[in-house]
Amino acid sequence: MKLRFKIQPFQTNAVNAVVECFSGQVNTSGIQYRIDPGVVKVNGHEQISNLELAGFKNSDLQITEKQVLTNIQAVQCAQNLPISEKLVPSSGGNINLDIEMETGTGKTYCYIKTIFEMNKRYGWSKFIIMVPSIAIREGVHKSFEITAEHFSESYGKKARFFIYNSKQLHQLENFSSDAGINVMIINIQAFAARGADNRRIYDELDDFQTRRPIDVISSNRPILILDEPQKMEGKATLEALPKFKPLMILRYSATHRTTYNKIHRLDALDAYNQKLVKKIAVRGITIKGLAGTNGYLYLESIEISKHAPVARIELEIKQNNGIKRVIRKLGKGDDLYTISGELDQYRGFVISQIDYTTDTVEFTNGTVLVAGEATGDVNEATVRRIQIRETIKAHLEKERQLFSQGIKVLSLCFIDEVAKYRDYSQDDEKGEYAHIFEEEYNLLVAEYLSELALDNVEYRKYLDNISVAQTHNGYFSIDKKTRHLKNPSVGARAVDSDDVDAYDLILKDKERLLSFEEPVRFIFSHSALREGWDNPNVFIMCMLKHSDNTISRRQEVGRGLRLSVNQDGERQDHASTVHDINILTVVASESYKDFVSNLQKEISETLSARPRKADIDYFIGQQIQTASGPIKVSETMAKQIYKYLAKNDYTSATDEITPAYHNARTEGSLAPLPQELLAYSEQIFNLIDNVFSNAQLPDVGDDRKPKLNPLNANLEKKEFKALWQRINHKAVYRVEFDSEELIKNCVSAMDSDLRVTPLQYTIHSGIQQDLITDVQLKVGEGFQIDKTTTLTEIQSVHSMVRYDLLGKIAGITQLTRKTVAQILTGINKVVFDQFRQNPEHFISEASRIINEQKAAVIIEHLTYDTLAETHDANIFTSGQTKQDFTRATGKLRNHIYDYVITDSKIERNFVTELDTSSEVVVYAKLPKGFFIPTPVGDYNPDWAISFKEGAVKHIYFVAETKGSMSTLELRGIEEKKIECAKKFFEEINRKVDPEKVKYDVVNGFGKLMEIVGGGGV
């Protein structure tokens, strides 16, 4: 496998934030200095060196620290970050930049790209990456290896990189003498620990021409990049940093402990809301005490079956060789006393109700169990076995879904004691957890294979070919027998070959671990992998350890947040399916509620830099970007925003943002801002989004709630197969249009619709009041207004600003300056003269109208070309995702699944009528994997319906259900997607099949039948 990389805007923003802090620096490279000492010792005697080795160092800053601060403030303003009033220094230097990036968003990639960009812009070429651990060090080194070709294509050069080793100082010589990009990766133990090898960096070494390595390093004036700086705040490390004489220090972390000058923020809320990381779901375990019984029970889950729901319950069963705990699938009416072999503790435990919407089982004696609850004789060993079993079960469920998509599933188990997994006192060197894993894995795989569809041949073969002993392995920095599971080449003594293999596979060979050819799928680790290491395909994490305060849940969960890749190395970040594929399941040793509460609390605490109140003081002075550059929010504007939020119940009585705002923002139904602020709408909403509220916290789901929706015999009906054959085509689109047509349409639309609000200013006059109380008044409260005059600015203050009008509109609309000029010169002079009244609003409105006309022309001239490629059938079968059955209908008759998960009351009513209609033979809610490409994003239609032959004129129909049939009430992008879909199906009908498939938008079954019965396409 070869991992593929692409340029991501959010990562480019992080790079630009750093680079722009040094705007004005002259590009200077090739600065030379002498790196040999001049005098060397030979046999204890000094003599002149004849080497005369030349080195290349970073050029000094040519801009002043004041200019750097100005640049930093501009970057901070653009991102609504707290403004640095001065450069906050550290022990390592005066210029310290904090780059906050959530775990899993590619901070290593970002600082590697920053290295290339700094070299391109300013000529700097010497960089040192400092890391707190070997795991992070190896991960960084691997990142340089796998991104080398990607960056070579972008920048036309490669970086030379190496891991510092005090026994291999020739690499340091090369680092100094090479004029290209050079990167040294060093873990802090190499210079901040007490060992003799670690102190060599400060010693004069005979084998290094009596030089000190630290002197050679510092002569390069390197740029220091600290990866996870919060782990490098020990006294020895902080005292060592100045000795490197860094030009500057760049600090990358998701959780900065000490803040210097924050210039970029991509925190947990940003990452989740932009779908840059996986969703999180939790399988918790609750220990429940039941009065009157000691009988052990564990309700693992509720499953949807083709008949009635069944409960997977673990209970004690009397067998010939004693009592054993066994998982059984049980249904309504099952008597646990009988099933257990008449064990007294289960008298009265007859299942009276199984509810798949609440995940509960009720017994006739009144006992109710919720999925994830265990009762009776439950000790720590019981909980650990349950966790391991749940991990394997969750793994197999995800693997079943993702295998056909070429995505390998990995599971990571954190343990608190090495010997519980690897016990060298045993002949097989397996600890308690390794034995439990193999026992439970064999049982679950056997059960799984017995239930797996026979046509799922490839996945069955995959499971059959992996032995239980091969599929799990561990990585530990050191165990209690002082066996170092590290690479012997970096100083540890030789170890067993299996241990070295585990080190290479888990820590270094990411591509191999991601390949289906590699049988390892389950990784057990101690704290060594808690930070710095990650793998994109970790889908399950199991916490086989006691919770403590030294390692946060967020740190551990971070190991699995990165978006996954398939066997072609392609990142699975498609907008329509990213959070269907990328779900991280955490198997916790505490209840779902407790784990989620604590995780969200930890996330909230890391967002301390975000403002918490949307009050007037917050908005005053904030910077918003306009077409002419940044402007600051005035007190008047701040009051307008504040009143707007309060009026629409978007803030609470304590000025906190309410869920109503975030819901409306997501749905695109926000109330319009006051007319004076409309030109700045998006920037103002971004300011509001910057304010923290609990409603923004990532939605952590209960992993037991979603369930697989059983397919039924309707999938095999000839009518559905015929329908699927007709709509199952992929296509690409083309757009060809004449720019003259666009110009004409834009001129016409602007003449009729372009209206600009003149800028106004208000004059207050009044008299000062006597202060008759000792109450301290706010500024201005000592005056009583007796007259207010509002004037319109004919000569706008903005007219003093020189505008690149063509450039601004061309940039927003992505048209050429020539085309924009033709549009503006074509509009009515009275319309154009509005520019003087309010330039900002004019640019905003003109750009909006042009973009609307551009979209309309694109849609009008859009054509589709069908491809031979079709959608895989597994989007209905093996690729099916688990769904939330709290929104499920009752069991259905004509749908290809037994149930439908509906998004609204409209859909629920629509399903009821489809399922009871005598005209409908079969129908399907189309999975998200079925989408149509459009210029405004991929589109997923709702329904595919087949009617009885002869009952109506058209027997095949693809429908989109909406609450309103008015195009005025459809969101703009949504309306455009629907127009594109109509063109797609027109092409399918024209080229693929003479029997036409009808596509349209309906608001209910009545409208559907009206269109179908009406004839025509």
Side-chain angles (χ1 to χ4, degrees):
M1 176 194 292
K2 180 180 177 181
L3 293 173
R4 300 175 186 271
F5 298 90
K6 57 186 176 183
I7 296 173
Q8 308 266 21
F10 73 91
Q11 292 173 333
T12 300
N13 291 340
V15 174
N16 290 339
V18 176
V19 175
E20 288 168 7
C21 289
F22 305 98
S23 182
Q25 170 77 9
V26 177
N27 188 325
T28 307
S29 58
I31 305 296
Q32 288 190 317
Y33 72 102
R34 182 169 176 160
I35 62 175
D36 70 276
V39 177
V40 298
K41 287 183 179 179
V42 180
N43 297 324
H45 301 285
E46 292 185 352
Q47 67 179 48
I48 302 298
S49 169
N50 58 4
L51 294 177
E52 295 187 4
L53 296 177
F56 296 88
K57 66 176 183 178
N58 286 333
S59 64
D60 292 332
L61 276 173
Q62 293 148 349
I63 57 175
T64 64
E65 288 191 356
K66 182 179 180 181
Q67 181 59 49
V68 173
L69 178 59
T70 300
N71 292 339
I72 288 172
Q73 291 170 336
V75 171
Q76 291 169 330
C77 279
Q79 296 191 51
N80 300 315
L81 293 172
I83 305 301
S84 297
E85 295 185 5
K86 62 179 181 179
L87 288 176
V88 181
S90 72
S91 59
N94 284 339
I95 299 178
N96 293 264
L97 305 180
D98 299 330
I99 301 93
E100 180 181 343
M101 295 190 71
E102 174 64 359
T103 302
T105 57
K107 63 179 171 61
T108 308
Y109 174 95
C110 283
Y111 64 64
I112 294 175
K113 183 171 181 175
T114 299
I115 287 171
F116 280 91
E117 197 64 28
M118 296 275 258
N119 177 261
K120 176 183 175 181
R121 291 272 294 269
Y122 308 123
W124 290 323
S125 61
K126 302 299 170 72
F127 300 85
I128 296 177
I129 298 172
M130 289 185 178
V131 300
S133 70
I134 290 174
I136 299 179
R137 185 193 70 189
E138 294 298 332
V140 172
H141 189 265
K142 184 64 182 179
S143 293
F144 271 96
E145 288 181 344
I146 62 180
T147 59
E149 184 178 338
H150 168 73
F151 286 119
S152 177
E153 291 173 354
S154 299
Y155 291 93
K157 60 176 67 177
K158 291 188 177 183
R160 179 182 173 274
F161 54 93
F162 69 101
I163 293 174
Y164 172 81
N165 187 330
S166 64
K167 300 292 182 63
Q168 299 176 6
L169 294 176
H170 66 280
Q171 293 182 318
L172 187 53
E173 203 85 73
N174 295 336
F175 175 79
S176 299
S177 61
D178 187 83
I181 300 175
N182 283 264
V183 183
M184 181 170 77
I185 308 164
I186 186 169
N187 48 298
I188 58 173
Q189 295 82 0
F191 61 85
R194 296 179 179 179
D197 285 345
N198 306 120
R199 301 300 302 175
R200 279 170 57 86
I201 196 170
Y202 303 116
D203 295 339
E204 289 186 357
L205 304 175
D206 289 341
D207 58 352
F208 200 50
Q209 302 175 40
T210 65
R211 292 172 298 174
R212 299 193 314 160
I214 189 64
D215 292 335
V216 174
I217 294 171
S218 62
S219 296
N220 289 277
R221 293 304 312 279
I223 294 172
L224 293 191
I225 295 173
L226 305 190
D227 191 329
E228 306 292 354
Q230 75 279 5
K231 294 292 182 181
M232 294 183 274
E233 296 186 352
K235 181 180 178 182
T237 303
L238 294 179
E239 288 177 349
L241 290 182
K243 298 174 183 177
F244 287 85
K245 296 181 181 177
L247 190 64
M248 68 194 68
I249 300 178
L250 310 180
R251 301 166 180 269
Y252 287 80
S253 177
T255 52
H256 288 276
R257 183 179 298 153
T258 303
T259 301
Y260 294 90
N261 305 285
K262 183 173 289 188
I263 57 157
H264 184 72
R265 186 195 72 201
L266 180 66
D267 62 21
L269 300 190
D270 298 322
Y272 181 79
N273 292 330
Q274 295 175 39
K275 296 184 178 180
L276 306 178
V277 293
K278 290 190 181 90
K279 285 178 66 175
I280 303 172
V282 176
R283 292 193 183 194
I285 298 171
T286 304
I287 311 302
K288 181 178 181 180
L290 291 181
T293 179
N294 292 320
Y296 170 77
L297 286 175
Y298 172 61
L299 176 54
E300 184 180 280
S301 62
I302 308 293
E303 293 182 356
I304 305 296
S305 72
K306 291 187 176 182
H307 304 289
V310 296
R312 287 179 60 93
I313 297 177
E314 185 177 33
L315 71 161
E316 295 173 339
I317 295 181
K318 187 189 298 182
Q319 299 181 343
N320 292 335
N321 55 352
I323 295 174
K324 187 176 181 181
R325 291 180 177 178
V326 181
I327 291 279
R328 288 284 186 265
K329 285 188 178 182
L330 305 176
K332 184 177 179 180
D334 283 340
D335 186 344
L336 270 56
Y337 175 70
T338 303
I339 291 168
S340 68
E342 300 185 347
L343 293 177
D344 286 338
Q345 60 263 39
Y346 295 118
R347 286 185 184 275
F349 278 85
V350 179
I351 297 176
S352 59
Q353 184 68 37
I354 299 175
D355 191 330
Y356 63 80
T357 61
T358 59
D359 272 343
T360 57
V361 171
E362 187 173 349
F363 298 91
T364 53
N365 61 8
T367 298
V368 177
L369 276 182
V370 179
E373 285 186 343
T375 185
D377 182 15
V378 182
N379 54 27
E380 184 177 346
T382 301
V383 173
R384 300 306 182 212
R385 180 176 286 273
I386 289 172
Q387 285 183 271
I388 291 171
R389 182 194 303 136
E390 291 281 13
T391 299
I392 299 167
K393 189 167 184 286
H395 182 105
L396 294 173
E397 288 172 359
K398 288 184 189 290
E399 204 167 61
R400 173 188 174 277
Q401 173 199 344
L402 300 177
F403 178 80
S404 62
Q405 300 177 52
I407 302 170
K408 182 178 178 180
V409 174
L410 297 175
S411 295
L412 176 61
C413 301
F414 281 114
I415 66 176
D416 51 13
E417 191 177 340
V418 174
K420 288 185 177 179
Y421 177 74
R422 182 176 278 126
D423 187 351
Y424 289 107
S425 68
Q426 303 298 317
D427 291 340
D428 60 4
E429 298 187 347
K430 293 176 183 176
E432 173 190 354
Y433 292 163
H435 284 294
I436 292 174
F437 173 84
E438 294 190 355
E439 291 168 11
E440 295 293 339
Y441 181 87
N442 284 329
L443 288 171
L444 280 167
V445 169
E447 178 187 348
Y448 210 73
L449 285 171
S450 69
E451 298 177 352
L452 200 61
L454 293 176
D455 59 355
N456 207 332
V457 178
E458 291 301 317
Y459 182 48
R460 296 180 68 91
K461 182 180 177 181
Y462 177 70
L463 286 180
D464 280 333
N465 288 342
I466 299 177
S467 72
V468 65
Q470 288 179 305
T471 204
H472 65 104
N473 212 327
Y475 172 80
F476 312 98
S477 59
I478 188 171
D479 66 20
K480 285 191 175 181
K481 289 182 67 67
T482 67
R483 288 197 177 218
H484 294 252
L485 303 184
K486 300 178 182 177
N487 190 340
S489 67
V490 294
R493 67 177 178 82
V495 296
D496 294 344
S497 61
D498 286 347
D499 294 343
V500 178
D501 287 345
Y503 169 88
D504 287 337
L505 174 66
I506 296 170
L507 218 56
K508 299 175 76 174
D509 201 347
K510 183 179 289 188
E511 296 97 325
R512 179 180 155 202
L513 188 56
L514 287 167
S515 168
F516 283 135
E517 282 72 39
E518 170 54 51
V520 170
R521 294 137 74 214
F522 298 85
I523 300 168
F524 288 77
S525 175
H526 197 236
S527 59
L529 294 186
R530 76 177 183 221
E531 216 167 30
W533 179 91
D534 59 23
N535 188 293
N537 285 24
V538 171
F539 283 93
I540 300 95
M541 301 190 71
C542 179
M543 308 305 183
L544 294 169
K545 51 185 269 316
H546 296 288
S547 296
D548 56 52
N549 295 324
T550 60
I551 307 171
S552 72
R553 293 165 182 81
R554 184 165 178 255
Q555 282 177 313
E556 291 169 329
V557 167
R559 300 312 99 223
L561 287 181
R562 189 178 294 275
L563 296 183
S564 60
V565 299
N566 63 14
Q567 292 299 288
D568 294 323
E570 297 167 335
R571 194 165 178 259
Q572 300 302 290
D573 58 359
H574 195 283
S576 64
T577 58
V578 59
H579 274 173
D580 292 318
I581 292 174
N582 292 285
I583 301 174
L584 173 67
T585 295
V586 180
V587 181
S589 58
E590 56 191 319
S591 72
Y592 162 78
K593 182 179 179 181
D594 288 345
F595 186 91
V596 172
S597 174
N598 288 319
L599 176 62
Q600 292 192 329
K601 180 182 178 184
E602 289 176 6
I603 293 173
S604 176
E605 288 171 350
T606 65
L607 302 171
S608 57
R610 280 189 179 241
R612 301 279 164 146
K613 293 182 181 296
D615 54 16
I616 293 173
D617 289 341
Y618 162 68
F619 291 108
I620 292 176
Q622 291 283 3
Q623 184 168 282
I624 59 178
Q625 297 298 318
T626 70
S628 62
I631 64 170
K632 288 188 176 181
V633 175
S634 66
E635 183 177 357
T636 301
M637 293 172 67
K639 289 179 178 178
Q640 288 178 306
I641 298 169
Y642 180 79
K643 290 178 181 178
Y644 162 81
L645 292 172
K647 176 184 176 182
N648 292 286
D649 294 326
Y650 293 158
T651 49
S652 66
T654 55
D655 296 333
E656 295 172 331
I657 301 296
T658 62
Y661 168 80
H662 293 292
N663 292 337
R665 180 86 154 117
T666 301
E667 295 169 0
S669 58
L670 283 169
L673 284 163
Q675 186 69 29
E676 299 86 349
L677 301 178
L678 279 177
Y680 317 118
S681 293
E682 194 57 34
Q683 298 96 321
I684 289 172
F685 290 135
N686 287 338
L687 281 179
I688 299 168
D689 292 343
N690 191 47
V691 179
F692 170 80
S693 72
N694 286 322
Q696 290 175 296
L697 286 170
D699 180 21
V700 180
D702 186 338
D703 197 58
R704 289 187 174 86
K705 292 290 185 185
K707 297 172 178 59
L708 285 175
N709 195 357
L711 282 159
N712 55 42
N714 288 327
L715 184 72
E716 301 302 319
K717 282 184 175 179
K718 67 180 188 300
E719 291 87 353
F720 183 76
K721 288 183 175 181
L723 167 60
W724 181 240
Q725 183 180 0
R726 283 167 172 78
I727 68 173
N728 184 21
H729 296 280
K730 291 187 177 182
V732 293
Y733 62 81
R734 292 182 290 112
V735 180
E736 296 176 0
F737 64 89
D738 184 355
S739 60
E740 292 299 322
E741 179 186 358
L742 174 61
I743 293 167
K744 179 182 176 181
N745 292 353
C746 288
V747 169
S748 175
M750 291 173 72
D751 279 344
S752 61
D753 299 335
L754 181 56
R755 297 292 179 269
V756 172
T757 303
L759 285 173
Q760 298 177 335
Y761 62 92
T762 302
I763 298 175
H764 299 292
S765 61
I767 58 174
Q768 188 170 13
Q769 302 296 299
D770 292 332
L771 301 182
I772 59 174
T773 71
D774 61 356
V775 177
Q776 187 170 350
L777 300 179
K778 294 182 180 179
V779 176
E781 286 186 348
F783 289 84
Q784 179 178 341
I785 297 172
D786 67 353
K787 183 179 180 182
T788 299
T789 306
T790 301
L791 301 177
T792 298
E793 293 192 51
I794 302 301
Q795 184 68 18
S796 167
V797 292
H798 285 280
S799 64
M800 303 296 292
V801 179
R802 295 188 64 183
Y803 280 82
D804 178 10
L805 181 60
L806 296 182
K808 294 299 182 184
I809 296 180
I812 297 171
T813 61
Q814 295 184 321
L815 295 175
T816 65
R817 294 172 68 95
K818 179 181 177 182
T819 301
V820 174
Q822 289 176 291
I823 294 171
L824 295 180
T825 55
I827 63 176
N828 188 291
K829 183 178 182 300
V830 175
V831 174
F832 184 78
D833 283 346
Q834 295 179 96
F835 172 71
R836 292 176 59 247
Q837 298 176 19
N838 190 334
E840 296 298 339
H841 200 191
F842 182 92
I843 292 171
S844 173
E845 285 297 291
S847 300
R848 177 186 63 80
I849 292 171
I850 291 173
N851 276 332
E852 286 179 353
Q853 294 304 313
K854 181 180 170 185
V857 169
I858 285 174
I859 300 303
E860 184 178 346
H861 294 272
L862 176 76
T863 58
Y864 280 94
D865 295 319
T866 55
L867 304 173
E869 186 180 359
T870 60
H871 293 280
D872 292 332
N874 62 43
I875 66 173
F876 289 109
T877 54
S878 58
Q880 183 197 164
T881 59
K882 294 168 73 176
Q883 297 172 301
D884 181 4
F885 268 70
T886 59
R887 297 183 289 112
T889 60
K891 198 165 185 178
L892 301 170
R893 182 184 62 179
N894 296 329
H895 193 255
I896 64 169
Y897 295 106
D898 285 351
Y899 304 88
V900 168
I901 313 302
T902 56
D903 297 325
S904 64
K905 184 178 179 181
I906 293 170
E907 281 197 347
R908 185 176 289 270
N909 293 338
F910 188 64
V911 168
T912 300
E913 297 203 64
L914 281 176
D915 210 63
T916 55
S917 170
S918 59
E919 288 89 359
V920 175
V921 179
V922 63
Y923 64 100
K925 188 169 189 190
L926 291 166
K928 289 184 179 179
F930 180 86
F931 58 82
I932 299 166
T934 83
V936 287
D938 292 332
Y939 168 67
N940 172 228
D942 282 339
W943 307 94
I945 308 162
S946 179
F947 293 92
K948 284 184 180 178
E949 187 82 38
V952 291
K953 188 171 182 180
H954 297 283
I955 62 169
Y956 305 115
F957 201 97
V958 178
E960 177 77 15
T961 45
K962 296 295 176 190
S964 170
M965 297 301 296
S966 171
T967 57
L968 295 176
E969 295 181 33
L970 288 175
R971 294 170 64 184
I973 290 179
E974 199 169 29
E975 182 185 351
K976 296 294 184 292
K977 286 182 178 181
I978 288 170
E979 290 180 37
C980 293
K982 290 179 179 178
K983 288 179 174 287
F984 171 83
F985 285 108
E986 285 173 5
E987 178 64 12
I988 294 297
N989 287 333
R990 189 177 72 84
K991 285 189 175 181
V992 178
D993 198 307
E995 276 197 79
K996 294 180 178 179
V997 175
K998 182 75 174 175
Y999 167 81
D1000 216 324
V1001 180
V1002 299
N1003 60 355
F1005 187 75
K1007 183 66 176 179
L1008 170 70
M1009 295 307 296
E1010 176 186 325
I1011 295 172
V1012 170
V1017 175

